[in-house]
Amino acid sequence: MAIRVWISLFLCVCALLGSESYASENEDTQSKEFVVTLDHSNFSDFVGRHKFIVVEFYAPWCGHCKKLVPEYEKAAEILSQNDPPVVLAKVDANEEQNKALAGEFDVKGFPTLKILRYGGSVVQDYKGPREADGIVSYVKKQSGPASAEIKSSKDAEDFIDVNKIIIVGVFPEFSGEKFENFTAVAERLRADYDFGHTLDAKLLPRGDSSVSGPVVRLFKPFDELFVDFQVFDVDALAKLVEEATIPTVTVFNKDPNNHPFVVKFFNSPNAKAMLFVNFNIFDSFKSKYHEVAEQYKGNDISFLIGDVEASQGAFQYFGLKEDQTPLIIIQTNEGEKYLKTNVEPDHIASWVKEFKDGKVKPYKKSEPIPEVNNEPVKVVVADNFQDMVFNSGKNVLIEFYAPWCGHCKQLAPILDEVAVSFESDADVMIAKIDATANDYSQGTFEVKGYPTLYFKSASGKLLQHQGGRTKEDIIDFIQKNRDKAAEQSPGKDEL
Ligand SMILES: *[C@@H]1O[C@H](CO)[C@@H](O)[C@H](O)[C@H]1NC(C)=O
Ligand SMILES: *[C@@H]1O[C@H](CO)[C@@H](O)[C@H](O)[C@H]1NC(C)=O
């Protein structure tokens, strides 16, 4: 599934919680706006005149955008006093005339913030916080040099935040090709990590303090806590940094310091193993899970441990309940899921091995099979999908719906009427499935919006209904595509 959906499932809840405390601060409405409004007519010109500018693409209806407004404005005011001043701008990407512009910047969700450097010739994603103070400090750092010199232990103390990835180059002198290459890597990755350079390794908190360099020391808040590189090819060093910054086990809880690593986890092309456990009993799992993760490192599985309390979005998505925890779920890139509920620390290694060996049966999210199903429109769930849709030998029209979808609600009485009109026809069934609460074969049914209607003829021909949605339209569609009873013979069954 789309990475963006994934990440928002995990992080949205926290983003909401995280910003609540600022809600009361937005009372005074200033008359002067510090955030500069741009649109398609003046964007290039304005950006072209700036060495560094932050642009927010927003939509007026988006809740996260609205929350950002006072924070962004406050940050813009503070940054306007910076030396040199930094401009924060915004573009209404919902405005028809600005849509092409938003497209150029690959805007897929709102708000999207971008950092534009050198008149717009270099574009980076904004990966900083979304509240005023956080925006200010992130933007200050981004608009300064890519790597900051560490001259004293005080500098080092201020700079090396133990919760973050910090990359420091130790050099005998700040010149030469290695230093330049290090600076180039810092430029490239500055939106993700903080870079520093120093002449004196003794100022650094960890690692061999007698080295004179050149050496690149990466500090991280997990695993081995630091790692040294002596590679100075730009691409090779950037790659080493990216690899070293993936934790063996990604931790997901409400701590925002962990969120960049959660994003990385979901961006990985690997199968994703997620252990959800109440963090009060986390310790008993930690070392066992870590061992397993170590064992599969570089082996196409990434590992995450999530606190049950912070993972409500994920539970909903997977159709899981808290009383099934501790649980481990693996999702492959093809979307197959494998689940082990009420797992004990000692079971993890053997279960992951069984999964690797192809011995675990995929897990399907399903509502319970209804005990009575005698309304005109039949209720299909994941667990009876095969039986009711594919093995019933009937002509089946099935609606994929979402409980919150307005168009689905409009369609419901119409489908009822259609179903009633076929009630005496044993060869036709009208059915519906809550596509948010049940897994279905995403390879077979392409559901891009709700409602989506599919028709499976008695002999197994499958097609999507694209036409009108009046009662008459749908009945016509069924009559046109159904197999007549006479056409069915066991030999023709294509499934
Ligand atoms: C760009 O144009 C819009 C619409 O005319 C205007 O509201 C905005 O102030 C302009 N921005 C700049 C920087 O000139
Ligand atoms: C610096 O980077 C360039 C480009 O990646 C590379 O060709 C060169 O060998 C590097 N220099 C050193 C000393 O590694």
Side-chain angles (χ1 to χ4, degrees), residues 36-39 41-42 46:
V36 174
T37 303
L38 297 176
D39 75 356
S41 70
N42 51 28
F46 190 80

Side-chain angles (χ1 to χ4, degrees), residues 177-178 181 232-235:
E177 199 178 308
K178 291 183 177 177
N181 280 6
F232 289 90
D233 179 84
V234 175
D235 290 336

Side-chain angles (χ1 to χ4, degrees), residues 129-185:
R130 299 260 178 98
E131 38 70 35
D133 292 343
I135 296 171
V136 169
S137 62
Y138 181 81
V139 166
K140 272 189 182 169
K141 219 179 247 169
Q142 290 298 317
S143 61
S147 175
E149 188 183 347
I150 297 172
K151 294 186 199 143
S152 61
S153 12
K154 170 86 171 58
D155 283 355
E157 236 168 75
D158 292 347
F159 188 68
I160 301 178
D161 180 334
V162 293
N163 294 314
K164 286 195 178 152
I165 305 275
I166 311 281
I167 299 153
V168 181
V170 181
F171 295 93
E173 54 179 4
F174 297 144
S175 60
E177 199 178 308
K178 291 183 177 177
F179 179 69
E180 277 162 26
N181 280 6
F182 172 77
T183 310
V185 172

Side-chain angles (χ1 to χ4, degrees), residues 345-366:
D346 286 332
H347 295 160
I348 295 172
S350 54
W351 187 76
V352 173
K353 180 163 188 318
E354 277 173 35
F355 159 76
K356 244 333 216 187
D357 294 344
K359 289 182 186 153
V360 181
K361 257 185 40 199
Y363 155 77
K364 262 189 305 189
K365 169 170 80 170
S366 181

